[in-house]
Amino acid sequence: MKNATSNFFSKFATTIADWSGRPVAFASAVALVIIWGASGPFFDYSETWQLVINTGTTIITFLMVFVLQNSQNRDGRALQAKLDELILTSQAQNKFVGIEKLDERQLREMSERLAEKAECVEVMADEKVENLEPSSSEF
């Protein structure tokens, strides 16, 4: 039962996330706000009239947080699995598999070490390019 509910919610979240990212969803929301605004004079801009838009947008925002977070979590896990597979099947160091589980300090330290290595590689590449370029005296 738990797995069926989880699968249903995942499919639901994916569908809602896909739909909410489309231009028609944005246009629908804008149209709804325009209709609500235009209806103001008919309701004498009452508190109830204001409460309708406030309550509606709050509920939709609250629910969308969970739907979009579920979709983003799944996308992140899928992307991480793909990256792990690329690391495992390439010449890359396997120590990078699972680094998303490190704490903030460990990630920062690893990032700093990689930045230092990248600078060294960049310097070495620049030196190789300089050595390959013909000098002006050769012409």
Side-chain angles (χ1 to χ4, degrees), residues 31-97:
L32 187 63
V33 170
I34 289 172
I35 290 168
W36 170 81
S39 70
F42 298 109
F43 295 100
D44 295 322
Y45 300 102
S46 68
E47 287 185 21
T48 302
W49 173 79
Q50 293 175 30
L51 192 61
V52 167
I53 196 74
N54 290 337
T55 304
T57 55
T58 300
I59 290 170
I60 290 170
T61 301
F62 179 74
L63 296 175
M64 286 301 290
V65 166
F66 297 103
V67 169
L68 295 176
Q69 187 63 50
N70 176 272
S71 182
Q72 186 177 7
N73 288 348
R74 269 184 298 103
D75 290 348
R77 282 192 300 272
L79 182 60
Q80 193 59 53
K82 291 174 185 179
L83 289 172
D84 288 349
E85 177 64 15
L86 288 173
I87 290 169
L88 291 170
T89 60
S90 72
Q91 298 295 323
Q93 298 177 22
N94 289 346
K95 70 179 181 182
F96 292 109
V97 173

Side-chain angles (χ1 to χ4, degrees), residues 130 132-139:
E130 288 173 3
L132 294 175
E133 291 178 353
S135 64
S136 58
S137 63
E138 293 180 14
F139 291 104

